[in-house]
Amino acid sequence: MSGVRLHIAGGVAEIRLDNPAKLNCFTVEMLAQMAGHLDLVEGRTEVRAVVVTGEGDRAFCSGADINAWGDLPPVEFARNWVRGGHRLFDRLARLGKPTIAALNGHAFGGGLELAAACDIRVMAPGATLALPEAGVGIVPGWSGTQRLARLLPEGVVKEMALFGRRIGADRALACGFVAEVAVDARTAAHAIAGGVAVLSPRAVEVTKAMIHAGLDEDSAAMIEALGSAAIAASPDKAEGVAAFRAKRKPEFPGN
């Protein structure tokens, strides 16, 4: 039975797409399961990093199951399927923990967009990347023309999306899309994730937010979150809360 599995050990959470019979493509249920796992991981302070991967060695993720969206009416397809997937990938991109995609196999369509939503990527040498949507009469809908276009050169994205070509691991490495090419991508990704355990989790979280704000990845929310965190540690905030509870006029120290 297909699903998305979560395993937490040694401060690292692994989220694994488990639908190998269909090259780990997404079903409606799998989108919902992954959303629940991300919510759980966000709240677990012992989790320092997250590895996203796929079951088996043929595919990381081949995208979305055509049987899940092929017969949807246009409005439902756009409103629920496309926007729902987009919200999930945005949630992954903005997770407070550092994320690593272990591309154990091919990443096509939504699978490539899933990899792009992670912070860094490790890729098996035989894996390939592709945006095959035009071949089935649709367009990339889960940030392939947006977030992915910020991570790869324009010509490379167009080569995949407009001409249907696949990109191999060596070229993805040369473009900077992947951090490492490794025969065992999962093991390499877990080794990188394990290195995060010795770093300050708060410093890592805030640094990630700052980088995303600079890249306009939900910059408005990032700026307000960082500002709110700074003011929350101030004596003025403590005085304001105390005065409200005591029903008196606050005397802000301003330091």
Side-chain angles (χ1 to χ4, degrees):
M1 184 176 179
S2 63
V4 181
R5 316 301 176 200
L6 173 65
H7 178 71
I8 300 174
V12 176
E14 181 185 274
I15 296 175
R16 183 178 295 210
L17 307 185
D18 188 3
N19 189 12
K22 291 191 174 183
L23 301 180
N24 297 322
C25 67
F26 271 108
T27 64
V28 174
E29 294 77 16
M30 289 171 68
L31 291 174
Q33 289 172 2
M34 187 165 187
H37 292 332
L38 292 177
D39 287 342
L40 188 150
V41 165
E42 186 77 88
R44 296 283 289 270
T45 56
E46 74 273 21
V47 173
R48 300 296 182 88
V50 179
V51 172
V52 179
T53 190
E55 183 61 38
D57 57 8
R58 294 178 62 201
F60 168 69
C61 175
S62 60
D65 187 349
I66 194 169
N67 294 317
W69 58 263
D71 296 326
L72 293 175
V75 172
E76 187 176 347
F77 175 72
R79 179 182 298 160
N80 297 330
W81 182 255
V82 175
R83 292 184 65 185
H86 220 291
R87 284 193 296 270
L88 172 63
F89 287 11
D90 284 349
R91 178 77 177 86
L92 173 61
R94 296 161 190 166
L95 194 71
K97 324 279 185 176
T99 57
I100 307 164
L103 305 182
N104 50 295
H106 304 307
F108 299 157
L112 178 52
E113 293 165 317
L114 173 65
C118 293
D119 294 318
I120 63 172
R121 290 146 289 278
V122 177
M123 189 171 178
T128 60
L129 312 177
L131 290 173
E133 285 85 352
V136 289
I138 60 171
V139 299
W142 290 345
S143 77
T145 62
Q146 307 301 309
R147 182 178 293 115
L148 185 62
R150 295 197 296 268
L151 296 172
L152 280 168
E154 177 185 344
V156 176
V157 176
K158 287 181 176 178
E159 189 176 339
M160 290 189 288
L162 306 183
F163 297 93
R165 300 190 69 181
R166 294 188 184 185
I167 303 301
D170 288 343
R171 191 162 177 211
L173 180 66
C175 290
F177 183 68
V178 299
E180 184 178 333
V181 175
V183 173
D184 189 338
R186 290 193 198 93
T187 298
H190 275 274
I192 295 172
V196 178
V198 300
L199 306 177
S200 160
R202 290 294 296 139
V204 168
E205 180 181 359
V206 172
T207 300
K208 177 174 176 174
M210 292 168 65
I211 292 171
H212 280 195
L215 296 173
D216 201 28
E217 176 75 64
D218 197 28
S219 59
M222 293 294 181
I223 290 169
E224 290 189 349
L226 292 172
S228 296
I231 199 66
S234 72
D236 278 4
K237 180 258 187 182
E239 168 59 13
V241 171
F244 177 84
R245 289 173 174 168
K247 297 181 180 180
R248 60 173 174 78
K249 186 177 180 180
E251 297 180 4
F252 295 117
N255 55 23

